[in-house]
PDB file of all heavy atoms in Angstrom:
ATOM      1  N   ASN A  80     179.052 132.220  68.838  1.00 97.00           N
ATOM      2  CA  ASN A  80     178.735 133.649  68.814  1.00 97.00           C
ATOM      3  C   ASN A  80     177.775 134.029  69.934  1.00 97.00           C
ATOM      4  O   ASN A  80     177.860 135.133  70.481  1.00 97.00           O
ATOM      5  CB  ASN A  80     178.184 134.051  67.447  1.00 97.00           C
ATOM      6  CG  ASN A  80     179.264 134.071  66.397  1.00 97.00           C
ATOM      7  OD1 ASN A  80     180.421 134.370  66.680  1.00 97.00           O
ATOM      8  ND2 ASN A  80     178.900 133.743  65.173  1.00 97.00           N
ATOM      9  N   GLN A  81     176.882 133.117  70.296  1.00 97.00           N
ATOM     10  CA  GLN A  81     176.003 133.384  71.434  1.00 97.00           C
ATOM     11  C   GLN A  81     176.814 133.475  72.730  1.00 97.00           C
ATOM     12  O   GLN A  81     176.552 134.333  73.571  1.00 97.00           O
ATOM     13  CB  GLN A  81     174.933 132.299  71.546  1.00 97.00           C
ATOM     14  CG  GLN A  81     173.893 132.362  70.465  1.00 97.00           C
ATOM     15  CD  GLN A  81     172.917 131.194  70.524  1.00 97.00           C
ATOM     16  OE1 GLN A  81     173.038 130.294  71.350  1.00 97.00           O
ATOM     17  NE2 GLN A  81     171.944 131.209  69.628  1.00 97.00           N
ATOM     18  N   VAL A  82     177.799 132.603  72.874  1.00 96.00           N
ATOM     19  CA  VAL A  82     178.657 132.642  74.058  1.00 96.00           C
ATOM     20  C   VAL A  82     179.444 133.949  74.082  1.00 96.00           C
ATOM     21  O   VAL A  82     179.527 134.625  75.107  1.00 96.00           O
ATOM     22  CB  VAL A  82     179.602 131.423  74.114  1.00 96.00           C
ATOM     23  CG1 VAL A  82     180.632 131.586  75.227  1.00 96.00           C
ATOM     24  CG2 VAL A  82     178.802 130.135  74.300  1.00 96.00           C
ATOM     25  N   LEU A  83     180.008 134.338  72.938  1.00 94.00           N
ATOM     26  CA  LEU A  83     180.761 135.598  72.871  1.00 94.00           C
ATOM     27  C   LEU A  83     179.873 136.793  73.212  1.00 94.00           C
ATOM     28  O   LEU A  83     180.297 137.688  73.947  1.00 94.00           O
ATOM     29  CB  LEU A  83     181.386 135.778  71.488  1.00 94.00           C
ATOM     30  CG  LEU A  83     182.602 134.923  71.201  1.00 94.00           C
ATOM     31  CD1 LEU A  83     182.975 135.004  69.720  1.00 94.00           C
ATOM     32  CD2 LEU A  83     183.776 135.328  72.078  1.00 94.00           C
ATOM     33  N   ALA A  84     178.658 136.820  72.702  1.00 93.00           N
ATOM     34  CA  ALA A  84     177.741 137.927  73.005  1.00 93.00           C
ATOM     35  C   ALA A  84     177.399 137.944  74.491  1.00 93.00           C
ATOM     36  O   ALA A  84     177.331 139.020  75.108  1.00 93.00           O
ATOM     37  CB  ALA A  84     176.470 137.804  72.161  1.00 93.00           C
ATOM     38  N   PHE A  85     177.208 136.776  75.082  1.00 94.00           N
ATOM     39  CA  PHE A  85     176.927 136.684  76.511  1.00 94.00           C
ATOM     40  C   PHE A  85     178.093 137.238  77.329  1.00 94.00           C
ATOM     41  O   PHE A  85     177.894 138.006  78.275  1.00 94.00           O
ATOM     42  CB  PHE A  85     176.634 135.221  76.867  1.00 94.00           C
ATOM     43  CG  PHE A  85     176.362 134.971  78.314  1.00 94.00           C
ATOM     44  CD1 PHE A  85     175.232 135.492  78.932  1.00 94.00           C
ATOM     45  CD2 PHE A  85     177.227 134.201  79.074  1.00 94.00           C
ATOM     46  CE1 PHE A  85     174.968 135.246  80.271  1.00 94.00           C
ATOM     47  CE2 PHE A  85     176.982 133.944  80.411  1.00 94.00           C
ATOM     48  CZ  PHE A  85     175.852 134.468  81.012  1.00 94.00           C
ATOM     49  N   ILE A  86     179.302 136.884  76.942  1.00 91.00           N
ATOM     50  CA  ILE A  86     180.488 137.413  77.631  1.00 91.00           C
ATOM     51  C   ILE A  86     180.556 138.922  77.444  1.00 91.00           C
ATOM     52  O   ILE A  86     180.731 139.672  78.405  1.00 91.00           O
ATOM     53  CB  ILE A  86     181.771 136.739  77.108  1.00 91.00           C
ATOM     54  CG1 ILE A  86     181.809 135.262  77.502  1.00 91.00           C
ATOM     55  CG2 ILE A  86     183.009 137.476  77.611  1.00 91.00           C
ATOM     56  CD1 ILE A  86     182.896 134.450  76.817  1.00 91.00           C
ATOM     57  N   GLU A  87     180.422 139.379  76.211  1.00 88.00           N
ATOM     58  CA  GLU A  87     180.525 140.807  75.907  1.00 88.00           C
ATOM     59  C   GLU A  87     179.490 141.630  76.664  1.00 88.00           C
ATOM     60  O   GLU A  87     179.760 142.767  77.055  1.00 88.00           O
ATOM     61  CB  GLU A  87     180.364 141.023  74.405  1.00 88.00           C
ATOM     62  CG  GLU A  87     180.438 142.459  74.001  1.00 88.00           C
ATOM     63  CD  GLU A  87     180.193 142.670  72.517  1.00 88.00           C
ATOM     64  OE1 GLU A  87     179.932 141.694  71.808  1.00 88.00           O
ATOM     65  OE2 GLU A  87     180.249 143.830  72.092  1.00 88.00           O
ATOM     66  N   ASN A  88     178.327 141.046  76.893  1.00 88.00           N
ATOM     67  CA  ASN A  88     177.248 141.781  77.545  1.00 88.00           C
ATOM     68  C   ASN A  88     177.243 141.644  79.055  1.00 88.00           C
ATOM     69  O   ASN A  88     176.301 142.061  79.714  1.00 88.00           O
ATOM     70  CB  ASN A  88     175.905 141.370  76.951  1.00 88.00           C
ATOM     71  CG  ASN A  88     175.748 141.925  75.559  1.00 88.00           C
ATOM     72  OD1 ASN A  88     176.056 143.089  75.308  1.00 88.00           O
ATOM     73  ND2 ASN A  88     175.305 141.092  74.631  1.00 88.00           N
ATOM     74  N   GLY A  89     178.299 141.058  79.626  1.00 88.00           N
ATOM     75  CA  GLY A  89     178.453 141.115  81.071  1.00 88.00           C
ATOM     76  C   GLY A  89     178.179 139.849  81.844  1.00 88.00           C
ATOM     77  O   GLY A  89     178.155 139.892  83.074  1.00 88.00           O
ATOM     78  N   LEU A  90     177.920 138.718  81.166  1.00 92.00           N
ATOM     79  CA  LEU A  90     177.721 137.447  81.874  1.00 92.00           C
ATOM     80  C   LEU A  90     176.615 137.535  82.918  1.00 92.00           C
ATOM     81  O   LEU A  90     176.757 137.061  84.042  1.00 92.00           O
ATOM     82  CB  LEU A  90     179.031 136.986  82.538  1.00 92.00           C
ATOM     83  CG  LEU A  90     180.226 136.759  81.624  1.00 92.00           C
ATOM     84  CD1 LEU A  90     181.512 136.661  82.451  1.00 92.00           C
ATOM     85  CD2 LEU A  90     180.039 135.516  80.789  1.00 92.00           C
ATOM     86  N   HIS A  91     175.499 138.142  82.563  1.00 92.00           N
ATOM     87  CA  HIS A  91     174.403 138.314  83.514  1.00 92.00           C
ATOM     88  C   HIS A  91     173.554 137.049  83.594  1.00 92.00           C
ATOM     89  O   HIS A  91     173.127 136.511  82.565  1.00 92.00           O
ATOM     90  CB  HIS A  91     173.527 139.500  83.128  1.00 92.00           C
ATOM     91  CG  HIS A  91     174.269 140.790  83.179  1.00 92.00           C
ATOM     92  ND1 HIS A  91     174.754 141.310  84.360  1.00 92.00           N
ATOM     93  CD2 HIS A  91     174.644 141.650  82.201  1.00 92.00           C
ATOM     94  CE1 HIS A  91     175.389 142.443  84.104  1.00 92.00           C
ATOM     95  NE2 HIS A  91     175.340 142.666  82.804  1.00 92.00           N
ATOM     96  N   SER A  92     173.314 136.579  84.791  1.00 91.00           N
ATOM     97  CA  SER A  92     172.540 135.350  85.007  1.00 91.00           C
ATOM     98  C   SER A  92     171.196 135.375  84.316  1.00 91.00           C
ATOM     99  O   SER A  92     170.747 134.362  83.796  1.00 91.00           O
ATOM    100  CB  SER A  92     172.331 135.113  86.509  1.00 91.00           C
ATOM    101  OG  SER A  92     173.550 134.866  87.143  1.00 91.00           O
ATOM    102  N   ASP A  93     170.542 136.536  84.309  1.00 92.00           N
ATOM    103  CA  ASP A  93     169.217 136.612  83.698  1.00 92.00           C
ATOM    104  C   ASP A  93     169.266 136.464  82.181  1.00 92.00           C
ATOM    105  O   ASP A  93     168.243 136.211  81.553  1.00 92.00           O
ATOM    106  CB  ASP A  93     168.488 137.892  84.101  1.00 92.00           C
ATOM    107  CG  ASP A  93     169.238 139.163  83.735  1.00 92.00           C
ATOM    108  OD1 ASP A  93     170.437 139.085  83.396  1.00 92.00           O
ATOM    109  OD2 ASP A  93     168.628 140.238  83.802  1.00 92.00           O
ATOM    110  N   ALA A  94     170.436 136.584  81.576  1.00 94.00           N
ATOM    111  CA  ALA A  94     170.587 136.394  80.134  1.00 94.00           C
ATOM    112  C   ALA A  94     171.157 135.015  79.793  1.00 94.00           C
ATOM    113  O   ALA A  94     171.412 134.713  78.633  1.00 94.00           O
ATOM    114  CB  ALA A  94     171.494 137.482  79.556  1.00 94.00           C
ATOM    115  N   PHE A  95     171.345 134.177  80.812  1.00 96.00           N
ATOM    116  CA  PHE A  95     171.909 132.847  80.618  1.00 96.00           C
ATOM    117  C   PHE A  95     170.788 131.885  80.216  1.00 96.00           C
ATOM    118  O   PHE A  95     170.083 131.334  81.042  1.00 96.00           O
ATOM    119  CB  PHE A  95     172.617 132.381  81.891  1.00 96.00           C
ATOM    120  CG  PHE A  95     173.382 131.106  81.738  1.00 96.00           C
ATOM    121  CD1 PHE A  95     174.384 130.982  80.796  1.00 96.00           C
ATOM    122  CD2 PHE A  95     173.107 130.021  82.551  1.00 96.00           C
ATOM    123  CE1 PHE A  95     175.101 129.807  80.664  1.00 96.00           C
ATOM    124  CE2 PHE A  95     173.819 128.847  82.435  1.00 96.00           C
ATOM    125  CZ  PHE A  95     174.819 128.736  81.475  1.00 96.00           C
ATOM    126  N   THR A  96     170.640 131.708  78.909  1.00 96.00           N
ATOM    127  CA  THR A  96     169.541 130.925  78.349  1.00 96.00           C
ATOM    128  C   THR A  96     169.824 129.428  78.403  1.00 96.00           C
ATOM    129  O   THR A  96     170.953 128.991  78.635  1.00 96.00           O
ATOM    130  CB  THR A  96     169.301 131.323  76.885  1.00 96.00           C
ATOM    131  OG1 THR A  96     170.469 130.949  76.121  1.00 96.00           O
ATOM    132  CG2 THR A  96     169.031 132.814  76.741  1.00 96.00           C
ATOM    133  N   ASN A  97     168.791 128.656  78.122  1.00 96.00           N
ATOM    134  CA  ASN A  97     168.958 127.208  78.031  1.00 96.00           C
ATOM    135  C   ASN A  97     169.953 126.838  76.929  1.00 96.00           C
ATOM    136  O   ASN A  97     170.730 125.901  77.091  1.00 96.00           O
ATOM    137  CB  ASN A  97     167.622 126.521  77.777  1.00 96.00           C
ATOM    138  CG  ASN A  97     166.765 126.453  79.015  1.00 96.00           C
ATOM    139  OD1 ASN A  97     167.256 126.347  80.133  1.00 96.00           O
ATOM    140  ND2 ASN A  97     165.463 126.539  78.831  1.00 96.00           N
ATOM    141  N   ASP A  98     169.926 127.553  75.806  1.00 96.00           N
ATOM    142  CA  ASP A  98     170.874 127.280  74.724  1.00 96.00           C
ATOM    143  C   ASP A  98     172.315 127.523  75.180  1.00 96.00           C
ATOM    144  O   ASP A  98     173.208 126.725  74.884  1.00 96.00           O
ATOM    145  CB  ASP A  98     170.573 128.133  73.491  1.00 96.00           C
ATOM    146  CG  ASP A  98     169.342 127.677  72.738  1.00 96.00           C
ATOM    147  OD1 ASP A  98     168.879 126.532  72.948  1.00 96.00           O
ATOM    148  OD2 ASP A  98     168.839 128.465  71.916  1.00 96.00           O
ATOM    149  N   LEU A  99     172.557 128.625  75.882  1.00 97.00           N
ATOM    150  CA  LEU A  99     173.895 128.893  76.400  1.00 97.00           C
ATOM    151  C   LEU A  99     174.316 127.823  77.400  1.00 97.00           C
ATOM    152  O   LEU A  99     175.457 127.345  77.376  1.00 97.00           O
ATOM    153  CB  LEU A  99     173.958 130.275  77.052  1.00 97.00           C
ATOM    154  CG  LEU A  99     173.982 131.464  76.110  1.00 97.00           C
ATOM    155  CD1 LEU A  99     173.694 132.753  76.868  1.00 97.00           C
ATOM    156  CD2 LEU A  99     175.317 131.540  75.397  1.00 97.00           C
ATOM    157  N   TYR A 100     173.402 127.464  78.276  1.00 96.00           N
ATOM    158  CA  TYR A 100     173.685 126.414  79.257  1.00 96.00           C
ATOM    159  C   TYR A 100     174.080 125.121  78.551  1.00 96.00           C
ATOM    160  O   TYR A 100     175.074 124.484  78.910  1.00 96.00           O
ATOM    161  CB  TYR A 100     172.459 126.200  80.151  1.00 96.00           C
ATOM    162  CG  TYR A 100     172.533 124.992  81.038  1.00 96.00           C
ATOM    163  CD1 TYR A 100     173.494 124.893  82.036  1.00 96.00           C
ATOM    164  CD2 TYR A 100     171.629 123.951  80.892  1.00 96.00           C
ATOM    165  CE1 TYR A 100     173.556 123.783  82.864  1.00 96.00           C
ATOM    166  CE2 TYR A 100     171.684 122.836  81.713  1.00 96.00           C
ATOM    167  CZ  TYR A 100     172.646 122.756  82.697  1.00 96.00           C
ATOM    168  OH  TYR A 100     172.706 121.662  83.510  1.00 96.00           O
ATOM    169  N   HIS A 101     173.325 124.729  77.542  1.00 95.00           N
ATOM    170  CA  HIS A 101     173.625 123.490  76.821  1.00 95.00           C
ATOM    171  C   HIS A 101     174.996 123.579  76.151  1.00 95.00           C
ATOM    172  O   HIS A 101     175.808 122.649  76.254  1.00 95.00           O
ATOM    173  CB  HIS A 101     172.545 123.202  75.780  1.00 95.00           C
ATOM    174  CG  HIS A 101     172.792 121.930  75.041  1.00 95.00           C
ATOM    175  ND1 HIS A 101     173.492 121.880  73.859  1.00 95.00           N
ATOM    176  CD2 HIS A 101     172.454 120.663  75.339  1.00 95.00           C
ATOM    177  CE1 HIS A 101     173.582 120.632  73.460  1.00 95.00           C
ATOM    178  NE2 HIS A 101     172.958 119.869  74.335  1.00 95.00           N
ATOM    179  N   THR A 102     175.280 124.673  75.486  1.00 96.00           N
ATOM    180  CA  THR A 102     176.568 124.834  74.811  1.00 96.00           C
ATOM    181  C   THR A 102     177.719 124.747  75.800  1.00 96.00           C
ATOM    182  O   THR A 102     178.684 124.017  75.588  1.00 96.00           O
ATOM    183  CB  THR A 102     176.626 126.172  74.049  1.00 96.00           C
ATOM    184  OG1 THR A 102     175.613 126.168  73.032  1.00 96.00           O
ATOM    185  CG2 THR A 102     177.977 126.394  73.408  1.00 96.00           C
ATOM    186  N   LEU A 103     177.630 125.490  76.890  1.00 95.00           N
ATOM    187  CA  LEU A 103     178.733 125.513  77.856  1.00 95.00           C
ATOM    188  C   LEU A 103     178.855 124.193  78.624  1.00 95.00           C
ATOM    189  O   LEU A 103     179.961 123.685  78.801  1.00 95.00           O
ATOM    190  CB  LEU A 103     178.576 126.683  78.823  1.00 95.00           C
ATOM    191  CG  LEU A 103     178.874 128.044  78.214  1.00 95.00           C
ATOM    192  CD1 LEU A 103     178.435 129.166  79.148  1.00 95.00           C
ATOM    193  CD2 LEU A 103     180.353 128.171  77.896  1.00 95.00           C
ATOM    194  N   SER A 104     177.752 123.629  79.055  1.00 93.00           N
ATOM    195  CA  SER A 104     177.831 122.433  79.896  1.00 93.00           C
ATOM    196  C   SER A 104     178.109 121.162  79.100  1.00 93.00           C
ATOM    197  O   SER A 104     178.533 120.162  79.681  1.00 93.00           O
ATOM    198  CB  SER A 104     176.558 122.267  80.725  1.00 93.00           C
ATOM    199  OG  SER A 104     175.443 121.991  79.896  1.00 93.00           O
ATOM    200  N   HIS A 105     177.911 121.198  77.782  1.00 92.00           N
ATOM    201  CA  HIS A 105     178.147 120.009  76.974  1.00 92.00           C
ATOM    202  C   HIS A 105     179.386 120.093  76.076  1.00 92.00           C
ATOM    203  O   HIS A 105     179.931 119.060  75.694  1.00 92.00           O
ATOM    204  CB  HIS A 105     176.937 119.723  76.082  1.00 92.00           C
ATOM    205  CG  HIS A 105     175.765 119.190  76.822  1.00 92.00           C
ATOM    206  ND1 HIS A 105     174.859 120.010  77.452  1.00 92.00           N
ATOM    207  CD2 HIS A 105     175.351 117.932  77.058  1.00 92.00           C
ATOM    208  CE1 HIS A 105     173.929 119.270  78.025  1.00 92.00           C
ATOM    209  NE2 HIS A 105     174.206 118.004  77.813  1.00 92.00           N
ATOM    210  N   HIS A 106     179.797 121.301  75.709  1.00 92.00           N
ATOM    211  CA  HIS A 106     180.786 121.413  74.638  1.00 92.00           C
ATOM    212  C   HIS A 106     182.038 122.221  74.947  1.00 92.00           C
ATOM    213  O   HIS A 106     183.041 122.046  74.268  1.00 92.00           O
ATOM    214  CB  HIS A 106     180.144 122.026  73.388  1.00 92.00           C
ATOM    215  CG  HIS A 106     178.964 121.275  72.885  1.00 92.00           C
ATOM    216  ND1 HIS A 106     179.048 119.980  72.415  1.00 92.00           N
ATOM    217  CD2 HIS A 106     177.665 121.621  72.781  1.00 92.00           C
ATOM    218  CE1 HIS A 106     177.864 119.568  72.036  1.00 92.00           C
ATOM    219  NE2 HIS A 106     176.998 120.530  72.247  1.00 92.00           N
ATOM    220  N   LEU A 107     181.993 123.150  75.877  1.00 94.00           N
ATOM    221  CA  LEU A 107     183.095 124.097  75.978  1.00 94.00           C
ATOM    222  C   LEU A 107     183.798 124.081  77.327  1.00 94.00           C
ATOM    223  O   LEU A 107     183.164 124.051  78.388  1.00 94.00           O
ATOM    224  CB  LEU A 107     182.593 125.521  75.701  1.00 94.00           C
ATOM    225  CG  LEU A 107     182.007 125.757  74.315  1.00 94.00           C
ATOM    226  CD1 LEU A 107     181.491 127.186  74.197  1.00 94.00           C
ATOM    227  CD2 LEU A 107     183.019 125.459  73.221  1.00 94.00           C
ATOM    228  N   PHE A 108     185.119 124.147  77.279  1.00 92.00           N
ATOM    229  CA  PHE A 108     185.996 124.426  78.409  1.00 92.00           C
ATOM    230  C   PHE A 108     185.890 123.423  79.556  1.00 92.00           C
ATOM    231  O   PHE A 108     186.190 123.748  80.695  1.00 92.00           O
ATOM    232  CB  PHE A 108     185.777 125.855  78.928  1.00 92.00           C
ATOM    233  CG  PHE A 108     185.818 126.887  77.849  1.00 92.00           C
ATOM    234  CD1 PHE A 108     184.741 127.720  77.603  1.00 92.00           C
ATOM    235  CD2 PHE A 108     186.945 127.018  77.039  1.00 92.00           C
ATOM    236  CE1 PHE A 108     184.787 128.668  76.595  1.00 92.00           C
ATOM    237  CE2 PHE A 108     186.992 127.962  76.020  1.00 92.00           C
ATOM    238  CZ  PHE A 108     185.915 128.792  75.802  1.00 92.00           C
ATOM    239  N   GLY A 109     185.453 122.194  79.263  1.00 84.00           N
ATOM    240  CA  GLY A 109     185.402 121.158  80.286  1.00 84.00           C
ATOM    241  C   GLY A 109     184.366 121.388  81.370  1.00 84.00           C
ATOM    242  O   GLY A 109     184.472 120.825  82.457  1.00 84.00           O
ATOM    243  N   HIS A 110     183.360 122.211  81.079  1.00 84.00           N
ATOM    244  CA  HIS A 110     182.318 122.466  82.078  1.00 84.00           C
ATOM    245  C   HIS A 110     181.457 121.233  82.294  1.00 84.00           C
ATOM    246  O   HIS A 110     181.371 120.361  81.439  1.00 84.00           O
ATOM    247  CB  HIS A 110     181.421 123.632  81.633  1.00 84.00           C
ATOM    248  CG  HIS A 110     182.045 124.962  81.781  1.00 84.00           C
ATOM    249  ND1 HIS A 110     182.337 125.525  83.003  1.00 84.00           N
ATOM    250  CD2 HIS A 110     182.470 125.853  80.855  1.00 84.00           C
ATOM    251  CE1 HIS A 110     182.891 126.713  82.827  1.00 84.00           C
ATOM    252  NE2 HIS A 110     182.994 126.929  81.536  1.00 84.00           N
ATOM    253  N   ILE A 111     180.793 121.218  83.432  1.00 79.00           N
ATOM    254  CA  ILE A 111     179.823 120.179  83.741  1.00 79.00           C
ATOM    255  C   ILE A 111     178.475 120.846  83.985  1.00 79.00           C
ATOM    256  O   ILE A 111     178.380 122.074  84.061  1.00 79.00           O
ATOM    257  CB  ILE A 111     180.245 119.340  84.962  1.00 79.00           C
ATOM    258  CG1 ILE A 111     180.405 120.234  86.193  1.00 79.00           C
ATOM    259  CG2 ILE A 111     181.534 118.576  84.663  1.00 79.00           C
ATOM    260  CD1 ILE A 111     180.629 119.469  87.494  1.00 79.00           C
ATOM    261  N   ALA A 112     177.454 120.050  84.121  1.00 71.00           N
ATOM    262  CA  ALA A 112     176.090 120.572  84.156  1.00 71.00           C
ATOM    263  C   ALA A 112     175.717 121.327  85.428  1.00 71.00           C
ATOM    264  O   ALA A 112     174.825 122.157  85.401  1.00 71.00           O
ATOM    265  CB  ALA A 112     175.094 119.435  83.944  1.00 71.00           C
ATOM    266  N   HIS A 113     176.330 121.031  86.587  1.00 77.00           N
ATOM    267  CA  HIS A 113     175.948 121.668  87.861  1.00 77.00           C
ATOM    268  C   HIS A 113     174.479 121.451  88.172  1.00 77.00           C
ATOM    269  O   HIS A 113     173.791 122.348  88.649  1.00 77.00           O
ATOM    270  CB  HIS A 113     176.261 123.172  87.850  1.00 77.00           C
ATOM    271  CG  HIS A 113     177.710 123.477  87.830  1.00 77.00           C
ATOM    272  ND1 HIS A 113     178.492 123.408  88.940  1.00 77.00           N
ATOM    273  CD2 HIS A 113     178.534 123.820  86.809  1.00 77.00           C
ATOM    274  CE1 HIS A 113     179.741 123.716  88.626  1.00 77.00           C
ATOM    275  NE2 HIS A 113     179.791 123.963  87.337  1.00 77.00           N
ATOM    276  N   PHE A 114     173.937 120.328  87.851  1.00 80.00           N
ATOM    277  CA  PHE A 114     172.565 119.904  88.084  1.00 80.00           C
ATOM    278  C   PHE A 114     171.571 120.554  87.133  1.00 80.00           C
ATOM    279  O   PHE A 114     170.745 119.890  86.551  1.00 80.00           O
ATOM    280  CB  PHE A 114     172.141 120.127  89.540  1.00 80.00           C
ATOM    281  CG  PHE A 114     170.779 119.568  89.844  1.00 80.00           C
ATOM    282  CD1 PHE A 114     170.551 118.211  89.834  1.00 80.00           C
ATOM    283  CD2 PHE A 114     169.726 120.407  90.116  1.00 80.00           C
ATOM    284  CE1 PHE A 114     169.292 117.691  90.093  1.00 80.00           C
ATOM    285  CE2 PHE A 114     168.452 119.896  90.386  1.00 80.00           C
ATOM    286  CZ  PHE A 114     168.247 118.534  90.371  1.00 80.00           C
ATOM    287  N   ASN A 115     171.622 121.870  86.958  1.00 91.00           N
ATOM    288  CA  ASN A 115     170.718 122.535  86.017  1.00 91.00           C
ATOM    289  C   ASN A 115     171.282 123.920  85.669  1.00 91.00           C
ATOM    290  O   ASN A 115     172.320 124.340  86.181  1.00 91.00           O
ATOM    291  CB  ASN A 115     169.291 122.630  86.579  1.00 91.00           C
ATOM    292  CG  ASN A 115     169.188 123.470  87.833  1.00 91.00           C
ATOM    293  OD1 ASN A 115     169.985 124.374  88.087  1.00 91.00           O
ATOM    294  ND2 ASN A 115     168.192 123.172  88.658  1.00 91.00           N
ATOM    295  N   ARG A 116     170.572 124.620  84.793  1.00 93.00           N
ATOM    296  CA  ARG A 116     171.017 125.936  84.322  1.00 93.00           C
ATOM    297  C   ARG A 116     171.191 126.909  85.483  1.00 93.00           C
ATOM    298  O   ARG A 116     172.161 127.678  85.529  1.00 93.00           O
ATOM    299  CB  ARG A 116     170.003 126.484  83.308  1.00 93.00           C
ATOM    300  CG  ARG A 116     170.312 127.877  82.805  1.00 93.00           C
ATOM    301  CD  ARG A 116     169.352 128.309  81.706  1.00 93.00           C
ATOM    302  NE  ARG A 116     167.975 128.289  82.100  1.00 93.00           N
ATOM    303  CZ  ARG A 116     167.284 129.334  82.518  1.00 93.00           C
ATOM    304  NH1 ARG A 116     167.862 130.515  82.629  1.00 93.00           N
ATOM    305  NH2 ARG A 116     166.025 129.226  82.847  1.00 93.00           N
TER     306      ARG A 116
END
């Protein structure tokens, strides 16, 4: 739901939290860490 809210609200970098980074880089859509958030 945090990912969905982030998408719905425009995918703004300033709203990309550590929790979102962890979820996306560890669990979803085959993403990788890209060194850091």
Side-chain angles (χ1 to χ4, degrees):
N80 287 328
Q81 289 175 357
V82 171
L83 285 170
F85 178 66
I86 292 169
E87 179 183 2
N88 288 316
L90 301 166
H91 296 295
S92 295
D93 58 347
F95 188 58
T96 65
N97 284 328
D98 287 343
L99 285 166
Y100 170 64
H101 181 268
T102 298
L103 287 169
S104 66
H105 287 85
H106 303 296
L107 298 177
F108 310 121
H110 285 293
I111 59 172
H113 292 282
F114 186 67
N115 63 26
R116 177 174 58 97

